[in-house]
Amino acid sequence: AQTVTQSQPEMSVQEAETVTLSCTYDTSENNYYLFWYKQPPSRQMILVIRQEAYKQQNATENRFSVNFQKAAKSFSLKISDSQLGDTAMYFCAFMKSGAQKLVFGQGTRLTINP
Amino acid sequence: EAQVTQNPRYLITVTGKKLTVTCSQNMNHEYMSWYRQDPGLGLRQIYYSMNVEVTDKGDVPEGYKVSRKEKRNFPLILESPSPNQTSLYFCASRLAGGLSSYNEQFFGPGTRLTVL
C-alpha cells in the first residue's frame, strides 16, 4: 500500500518570502502521479501542480514549483514570492497510474503573514 | 459550468438517525468517489464507483453505503450515524482513462457533518 507523509503540520512565513513544503511517499510502483492540492478556508480542494513520475523535469506553475526526487521518494513544493492568498492547508497526494484513488498526506497548514 | 455539487453543505444530526449526502456531477464522468477529511489524517477514500452499478470499498468504508443508479449521481448513505463519523466529506469525479493516461479529479465543495 502507498503512503504519503507530510512532516510539517504548520508553517508560517512573511509575505514575499519563499517557502518549501515537504512530502515523502512510499510505493513500489514505477508509474504514478504526484500532486499538491491547496485547501483555502473555503474548504474547496484546488489542484496546484501535478508531476508525472516518468518525467525527470520538475513541474512548474507560475510561482509554484516542485522538487521531485524519484529515488528518494521526495516531492517538495516551493512557493516563490508568497502572497496572502497562499494561506491555506496544502495536501500532497499520490495516485498510481490507472488507479482511481488518491492517497493523501496529513496536510501542512501554511500561513502567510503581512 | 462544469462542477461537482454536494448537498447539504452543513449538517448536524444525532446518533442513529439515517442520512444521505447527495453528490452530482455534470461532466459525464465515469469515476466517482467519496473521501472523508479528518485533522492529522488528510483525506481518505470511503467508496468509489467506476461506472453505473459498479461500486467498491475504499480505505474506510465501515458505516457507509453508496449507490450508483445514474451516471451523474453518487449518494453517500449513513444508515446509523455515530459520533466518529463527524467529519468533512468530499465527493470527487473524473473521466476514466487508460492505464497510462491522466484525467484530473474534480472535487465537490465539501459537506461538514456533525453527529451528536
Side-chain angles (χ1 to χ4, degrees):
Chain A
Q2 293 82 20
T3 59
V4 177
T5 302
Q6 294 177 247
S7 58
Q8 305 152 311
E10 294 186 16
M11 296 187 72
S12 178
V13 298
Q14 296 299 119
E15 192 176 8
E17 290 183 347
T18 294
V19 60
T20 299
L21 280 58
S22 301
C23 173
T24 58
Y25 60 95
D26 188 23
T27 185
S28 58
E29 302 290 334
N30 196 45
N31 298 315
Y32 53 88
Y33 302 91
L34 294 162
F35 309 87
W36 279 98
Y37 281 88
K38 172 184 178 180
Q39 186 181 53
S42 66
R43 303 194 317 236
Q44 183 67 42
M45 293 294 287
I46 302 167
L47 179 62
V48 174
I49 202 164
R50 178 185 88 242
Q51 176 79 42
E52 289 87 346
Y54 65 86
K55 289 187 177 179
Q56 292 188 346
Q57 186 172 9
N58 289 323
T60 62
E61 288 287 343
N62 301 312
R63 297 183 295 107
F64 298 87
S65 62
V66 298
N67 183 4
F68 174 48
Q69 302 288 329
K70 190 172 183 179
K73 296 180 182 174
S74 170
F75 183 61
S76 61
L77 174 70
K78 185 172 83 171
I79 306 174
S80 303
D81 186 27
S82 57
Q83 301 174 359
L84 298 179
D86 295 333
T87 292
M89 180 74 85
Y90 287 82
F91 291 100
C92 179
F94 169 101
M95 186 172 74
K96 183 174 70 171
S97 182
Q100 202 276 341
K101 180 176 71 174
L102 282 162
V103 178
F104 287 87
Q106 302 89 333
T108 296
R109 185 173 300 282
L110 175 65
T111 302
I112 310 298
N113 299 304
Chain B
E1 179 188 357
Q3 60 183 346
V4 179
T5 57
Q6 295 178 226
N7 282 292
R9 296 289 309 277
Y10 300 88
L11 179 61
I12 300 175
T13 188
V14 295
T15 298
K17 186 176 182 181
K18 181 179 178 179
L19 66 92
T20 299
V21 184
T22 65
C23 172
S24 182
Q25 50 90 8
N26 62 0
M27 297 168 279
N28 203 36
H29 287 172
E30 291 84 6
Y31 286 3
M32 297 187 74
S33 57
W34 278 100
Y35 293 84
R36 61 177 288 174
Q37 180 181 344
D38 300 291
L41 297 176
L43 284 79
R44 294 173 293 167
Q45 192 183 56
I46 303 170
Y47 267 95
Y48 66 96
S49 169
M50 297 176 70
N51 215 323
V52 175
E53 301 292 0
V54 181
T55 64
D56 208 346
K57 296 176 180 178
D59 293 325
V60 287
E62 295 78 19
Y64 305 94
K65 285 177 58 178
V66 293
S67 68
R68 187 92 181 273
K69 293 182 169 52
E70 304 167 286
K71 195 172 187 179
R72 63 184 294 128
N73 296 324
F74 190 45
L76 180 69
I77 302 158
L78 285 72
E79 295 267 2
S80 182
S82 62
N84 64 12
Q85 293 178 298
T86 292
S87 188
L88 177 59
Y89 290 87
F90 286 98
C91 181
S93 75
R94 72 175 180 92
L95 281 170
L99 288 176
S100 60
S101 66
Y102 166 77
N103 290 304
E104 183 176 346
Q105 187 137 193
F106 291 81
F107 284 86
T111 295
R112 171 70 70 187
L113 172 65
T114 300
V115 183
L116 302 175

